[in-house]
Amino acid sequence: MNTERYMKKGFLALGLLLGGMTFSSCTDDIMGSKPVDEGAYDTVTRIEGMLLDAKSNKNESVVELRGKTVETEVFFKLTKVPNMGVDVQVEVDPSYLETFNKEHDTDFEMYPVENVKIANEGKLLLAPDEIRSANIGVTLTANDKMQADKTYLLPLTVTTSTQGVTLSEKAQRAVYMVKDLRSQSDTYKGPDAVKTVLYFEVNDTNPLNALEFVLKDSGKLFFDEVVLFSANINYNPETGRVYVFNNPNVQFLLDNNEKFLQPLRKRGIKVILGILGNHDAAGVAQLSDMGAREFAKELAAYCKAYNLDGVGFDDEYSDFPDLTNPWFARRSGEAASRLLYETKRAMPDKTVMVYYLGRIYEDTIVSVDGVLPGEFVDYAVADYGGTARPMNGMTRKQCSGMSIELNRGTGNTSEDFARSKRKEGYGYYMFFALGHTNSLVNNFGSYRSQVLRCQMVCRGLYEDELLMPEYYYKKNDATRYKLPN
């Protein structure tokens, strides 16, 4: 209720009744008072609309083109019941390409507009009692001029001729980053298949060993993503800056990534760079807003320079920060959230994933600048033996049903458990420390026992058999060696 407005009317009526002052003097007093901000009442009455991807419920999404065509869907949503029919028009908006690239410091090219078809000519209609439209299909067709392993931008925009519906600059668009992965199909097991993510201890193991894990019936690779464990977040006291540090084992793989990393990607396995604390003042949950922005830019530059698919954060092994340094902030979930947000903003087409530990958990990662965690974190894995719970704005599809440490033998690897997690809707299964040097070189029985655990999970996730590997790769050696009988 606008109390001040009613008070003004009361005083005016009282003045007229008493006749103790002229109408003009009463008006002067009223007009001289502080103006009332009507913005709050506009918010109550305003109907806002937004265009969202139907699968992710986001307005920025990644679409993987694995065949000649790929289909997705968008829908239009209102903040309140309109009590009137609402007409909506969805169409491609090439003019937004430059704005998006400038905002994110990216250089995406436009997806070919002539290869985009929006169902029903992009027309939608909401009834007076509806706040959500039906889904409308968007079909993307590849052409021969598109480049493999390249990401294209497809901005869609929505307009309405209905009076009283407001469309903000961000809400009126659904932006797709379309990845041409037609040549990388060896891991693709279907749109709803659980994805397996494997952490490699690269100080001990060659990541190429992931290529030896193949499903019997489908012929697909078992592992979908590989995390290089691990690069570090470090502090340089001489320059006062935070930077990415690589030990010799990580740097060797990056320097020779055409030999040791790109073969994974060419077969469809995503390669993620792990980021871990390194016993100094830097940490993934203790950067200032400025520090998070600058470090995120460096991470994006790394992924671009070495053709990697994203980064994974693990909040461990960091000392307390020096709060007099502008790069640092108090260690907190809020600081971790800011780094995750800035990283996704710096490389929106790349993967940003987390390991639940330290200040990074489902209840510590919070919204940043009004953006829910589920919009800037692609997926989360739990610590050994655990099931990851969704952050705000996430679904189980973005969480690991189980985290398994293969070297130590921890975590549930039963077939029935894996099948139950698949049916519950969990989208990931995590494995850690496959094939340490001691098992690959000195004790093949230990390695086979790790494979047997993976085989049980495979049956539960895919109703398929995982073949026993026949070959392996020694550390820092791209030669394929025969495993002993």
Side-chain angles (χ1 to χ4, degrees):
M1 178 182 290
N2 192 329
T3 306
E4 187 171 348
R5 184 168 57 198
Y6 282 101
M7 288 177 63
K8 291 177 183 177
K9 290 183 178 179
F11 285 134
L12 177 58
L14 181 61
L16 291 172
L17 287 171
L18 295 176
M21 59 183 70
T22 66
F23 183 81
S24 62
S25 63
C26 180
T27 304
D28 289 341
D29 287 342
I30 296 169
M31 297 303 292
S33 63
K34 185 177 180 179
V36 179
D37 181 7
E38 301 288 349
Y41 306 101
D42 291 340
T43 301
V44 173
T45 59
R46 186 168 63 237
I47 303 173
E48 297 180 346
M50 62 196 77
L51 186 65
L52 298 169
D53 172 64
K55 184 176 181 180
S56 66
N57 206 38
K58 303 177 185 178
N59 56 17
E60 288 185 10
S61 306
V62 173
V63 171
E64 296 181 347
L65 182 64
R66 295 186 176 274
K68 182 65 176 176
T69 63
V70 63
E71 295 185 357
T72 187
E73 293 179 315
V74 294
F75 68 95
F76 186 68
K77 186 177 181 181
L78 297 169
T79 54
K80 60 186 298 184
V81 175
N83 294 317
M84 57 183 171
V86 177
D87 293 293
V88 169
Q89 177 70 51
V90 180
E91 54 193 352
V92 180
D93 182 16
S95 66
Y96 189 63
L97 175 67
E98 182 178 354
T99 301
F100 185 93
N101 279 334
K102 184 176 181 180
E103 180 180 346
H104 294 274
D105 195 24
T106 51
D107 56 359
F108 295 124
E109 293 182 17
M110 184 72 189
Y111 190 87
V113 178
E114 64 274 13
N115 289 42
V116 181
K117 182 179 180 181
I118 304 176
N120 197 35
E121 298 180 335
K123 293 180 171 60
L124 286 170
L125 176 63
L126 281 73
D129 60 347
E130 289 183 326
I131 63 170
R132 188 194 191 283
S133 75
N135 294 346
I136 186 169
V138 181
T139 303
L140 311 180
T141 304
N143 66 35
D144 295 336
K145 296 180 181 180
M146 294 174 61
Q147 299 179 28
D149 196 25
K150 184 171 182 176
T151 302
Y152 297 85
L153 200 75
L154 176 62
L156 303 181
T157 189
V158 63
T159 55
T160 178
S161 58
T162 305
Q163 296 294 320
V165 177
T166 302
L167 299 171
S168 70
E169 180 68 22
K170 183 175 179 62
Q172 68 180 309
R173 290 187 175 85
V175 179
Y176 289 101
M177 285 148 281
V178 186
K179 291 189 173 184
D180 186 353
L181 301 180
R182 287 175 291 167
S183 63
Q184 303 175 13
S185 59
D186 286 354
T187 60
Y188 186 64
K189 308 174 192 71
D192 298 319
V194 178
K195 294 182 179 180
T196 53
V197 54
L198 172 62
Y199 277 75
F200 265 119
E201 291 261 24
V202 296
N203 290 352
D204 300 292
T205 316
N206 190 329
L208 290 175
N209 283 295
L211 297 174
E212 299 304 318
F213 287 69
V214 181
L215 275 60
K216 179 181 178 181
D217 294 336
S218 69
K220 300 295 183 180
L221 295 176
F222 179 60
F223 293 112
D224 295 278
E225 304 194 10
V226 161
V227 180
L228 307 178
F229 193 77
S230 181
N232 298 106
I233 176 172
N234 267 36
Y235 172 62
N236 186 331
E238 294 182 1
T239 63
R241 295 178 61 87
V242 172
Y243 67 103
V244 176
F245 171 79
N246 302 310
N247 71 25
N249 298 290
V250 175
Q251 193 61 52
F252 175 85
L253 293 174
L254 295 177
D255 290 342
N256 298 276
N257 92 84
E258 286 297 330
K259 185 181 291 187
F260 293 97
L261 303 181
Q262 295 312 310
L264 301 176
R265 299 191 66 255
K266 290 174 182 176
R267 297 284 301 278
I269 297 177
K270 290 184 178 180
V271 179
I272 309 296
L273 184 66
I275 298 296
L276 179 70
N278 198 21
H279 307 284
D280 68 11
V284 301
Q286 55 202 56
L287 296 182
S288 65
D289 289 0
M290 179 277 292
R293 283 192 297 272
E294 293 302 312
F295 189 62
K297 291 177 184 178
E298 182 165 343
L299 292 173
Y302 255 81
C303 288
K304 184 175 183 179
Y306 294 106
N307 199 13
L308 305 177
D309 294 289
V311 294
F313 293 99
D314 183 356
D315 183 25
E316 295 185 83
Y317 306 120
S318 294
D319 296 336
F320 287 102
D322 176 7
L323 297 182
T324 65
N325 188 312
W327 278 78
F328 299 133
R330 180 180 59 84
R331 186 181 296 173
S332 66
E334 289 79 6
S337 303
R338 172 61 69 174
L339 177 58
L340 299 174
Y341 169 84
E342 295 293 350
T343 303
K344 191 64 176 179
R345 185 175 174 83
M347 47 182 194
D349 61 322
K350 303 290 187 180
T351 296
V352 176
M353 58 85 67
V354 298
Y355 187 112
Y356 278 167
L357 207 62
R359 298 306 195 277
I360 299 180
Y361 276 100
E362 75 280 355
D363 56 353
T364 59
I365 300 302
V366 297
S367 297
V368 179
D369 295 348
V371 180
L372 296 175
E375 297 183 51
F376 54 80
V377 177
D378 291 288
Y379 69 91
V381 300
D383 198 9
Y384 308 144
T387 295
R389 289 178 291 186
M391 299 177 189
N392 191 10
M394 263 189 183
T395 66
R396 288 179 176 177
K397 193 73 173 174
Q398 295 169 267
C399 297
S400 64
M402 177 51 53
S403 292
I404 299 155
E405 214 286 2
L406 291 167
N407 192 50
R408 300 177 183 175
T410 59
N412 192 324
T413 55
S414 77
E415 177 182 338
D416 289 342
F417 187 83
R419 186 174 290 110
S420 71
K421 289 301 178 182
R422 182 193 75 196
K423 292 179 179 179
E424 289 171 15
Y426 287 93
Y428 288 84
Y429 240 67
M430 188 273 265
F431 298 82
F432 195 97
L434 171 70
H436 272 217
T437 301
N438 61 353
S439 62
L440 277 170
V441 176
N442 302 320
N443 187 352
F444 285 105
S446 173
Y447 184 59
R448 286 195 173 92
S449 69
Q450 293 183 357
V451 178
L452 289 174
R453 301 187 77 205
C454 294
Q455 287 177 326
M456 291 188 290
V457 172
C458 182
R459 287 191 289 270
L461 295 184
Y462 306 121
E463 308 298 339
D464 200 346
E465 292 293 326
L466 175 62
L467 297 173
M468 180 64 68
E470 297 182 11
Y471 296 87
Y472 77 104
Y473 295 86
K474 298 177 183 179
K475 186 175 180 296
N476 295 351
D477 187 348
T479 305
R480 199 169 179 236
Y481 293 93
K482 181 77 173 178
L483 281 165
N485 295 327

